[in-house]
Amino acid sequence: MTRPSRLPARSAAIASAAVALLLAGCGTSVAPAPPGAGAAAAVTLENCGRKVVVSDAPKAAVGMHPAQTELLLRLGLADRIAGQAQAKAQALPEDVAPLAAGIPVIGGVTPPSREDLLAVKPDFVYSPTTYEFTAEQGFASIEQLEQAGVSVYVANGGCKDRRMTGEVTDLFTDLENIGKIFGVDDAAAGLIAKSRAELDKVAKALAGVKRLRVAQVYVDGTTLQAIGAGVEYDILRLAGADNVYTPEQPAFAKFFAATITPESLAAERPDALVFSVYDDKHEAATRKYLTATFPDMPAVRDDRLIAVSSADVFPGTLGNVSIVRQIAERLYPDAF
């Protein structure tokens, strides 16, 4: 989901690690921590142009967004999470939520302050973007965390130099790296395999379809923005869309979103509109605006207004995979 400003912002016991719980959320499972997990050798890797060195598997990690907390939980690492940040920005899937019941919540719908983050004494912080480390906002910077002995990893698609060219498969790089860092390579490989299989199913279903022209927009009140680059663009591409807005267009040369006029969107006459929302109220308001503003647009006339959770278009989330199918099924229902 796009958030404001990058686009507008927003006890059950931990399950036994002895048994793998095959659960429904996102079609994935919650893996048990394997024997010996946590005893991994030192790991050094490149991340967002930085060298990240982790001398031992983290024992006090913080997921800086529910999407990152979810990934850690699905890798069987509940007992090694010291805090979950921005927990009020998005609910965890029902199948993993009980695993997080005893994990301290830091921050509400925004990243935690430097003081609140350091108070849980993390040794590893896993974030969707570099925004969560903006010192000017009162957040701990990456440099401050490293000085405190905390290793920092940012989702590959959320790196500043990758934000315009991010792809859904960047998630797989993240999972491989997190698997190495925590010594849970097999669990990470399992999530990657399931996600790849889901994308392959969609690609097979869409073979031969006549591609619809699709615009992705974000509506904030009466301000209309188009999305033309980044992982959002790649999600639509994998869902079989012929994107109205693309990275090659000048409007998206420096940023993945651009403010547009209703007249310019109307002139494109897209077959479908995809829009991200942060709650039911926002979805209702967006649908009302689009329907009233573009009554003659094919997307409105043919009832192809497709809402997706803004959390699912955050870089490096399992939602990047699941909404590919969600959008594809709405665009081409006869293919599934």
Side-chain angles (χ1 to χ4, degrees):
M1 174 171 182
T2 36
R3 73 175 59 178
S5 100
R6 293 175 262 188
L7 278 185
R10 358 164 257 309
S11 128
I14 292 177
S16 169
V19 182
L21 303 177
L22 263 231
L23 298 170
C26 301
T28 61
S29 61
V30 178
V43 174
T44 300
L45 51 85
E46 291 292 323
N47 177 238
C48 292
R50 305 161 36 247
K51 181 177 288 187
V52 177
V53 179
V54 183
S55 59
D56 194 8
K59 297 178 176 61
V62 169
M64 288 293 279
H65 186 273
Q68 275 60 51
T69 300
E70 177 191 353
L71 286 175
L72 295 173
L73 293 171
R74 291 196 185 282
L75 291 173
L77 301 171
D79 61 344
R80 286 193 267 160
I81 304 176
Q84 49 178 324
Q86 302 190 77
K88 294 183 179 179
Q90 172 193 355
L92 287 167
E94 292 181 359
D95 62 319
V96 295
L99 302 179
I103 299 172
V105 172
I106 49 177
V109 296
T110 61
S113 68
R114 178 172 55 252
E115 293 76 16
D116 287 345
L117 177 55
L118 291 175
V120 299
K121 299 181 179 179
D123 57 10
F124 182 82
V125 171
Y126 179 20
S127 178
T129 72
T130 54
Y131 170 77
E132 282 75 11
F133 306 110
T134 308
E136 295 79 7
Q137 298 280 350
F139 312 148
S141 69
I142 291 176
E143 293 74 16
Q144 289 169 336
L145 289 169
E146 289 178 335
Q147 289 170 5
V150 182
S151 299
V152 176
Y153 184 88
V154 177
N156 193 44
C159 298
K160 286 183 178 179
D161 63 354
R162 184 67 176 161
R163 189 62 184 93
M164 297 293 294
T165 58
E167 298 178 357
V168 171
T169 53
D170 287 338
L171 169 64
F172 304 154
T173 300
D174 296 331
L175 284 169
E176 289 175 354
N177 289 336
I178 296 299
K180 291 176 184 177
I181 288 169
F182 283 88
V184 290
D185 302 75
D186 288 347
L191 279 180
I192 292 171
K194 289 180 180 180
S195 296
R196 286 193 186 279
E198 184 65 19
L199 293 176
D200 288 345
K201 288 178 183 177
V202 173
K204 184 177 180 180
L206 297 180
V209 300
K210 183 179 179 181
R211 297 169 74 90
L212 297 173
R213 294 187 73 244
V214 183
Q216 186 169 181
V217 298
Y218 187 92
V219 178
D220 182 23
T222 57
T223 299
L224 180 64
Q225 292 183 305
I227 316 300
V231 68
E232 295 89 344
Y233 170 83
D234 195 50
I235 287 168
L236 260 64
R237 180 185 68 82
L238 293 175
D242 177 9
N243 278 276
V244 170
Y245 300 109
T246 70
E248 292 76 26
Q249 296 171 0
F252 308 102
K254 295 183 178 180
F255 196 59
F256 68 96
T259 300
I260 59 173
T261 65
E263 292 77 15
S264 67
L265 178 59
E268 294 289 351
R269 296 187 59 78
D271 298 307
L273 291 175
V274 172
F275 56 97
S276 62
V277 298
Y278 49 82
D279 59 22
D280 291 343
K281 183 177 180 180
H282 184 211
E283 178 178 350
T286 299
R287 286 187 182 279
K288 181 178 180 180
Y289 170 83
L290 295 174
T291 301
T293 307
F294 307 106
D296 299 322
M297 181 181 289
V300 174
R301 185 189 62 216
D302 298 335
D303 191 27
R304 291 198 190 99
L305 300 181
I306 305 171
V308 297
S309 167
S310 56
D312 287 338
V313 296
F314 260 36
T317 74
L318 286 170
N320 292 172
V321 174
S322 63
I323 65 170
V324 168
R325 184 180 185 104
Q326 176 188 337
I327 294 170
E329 288 179 339
R330 285 293 313 277
L331 293 176
Y332 311 105
D334 293 340
F336 291 89

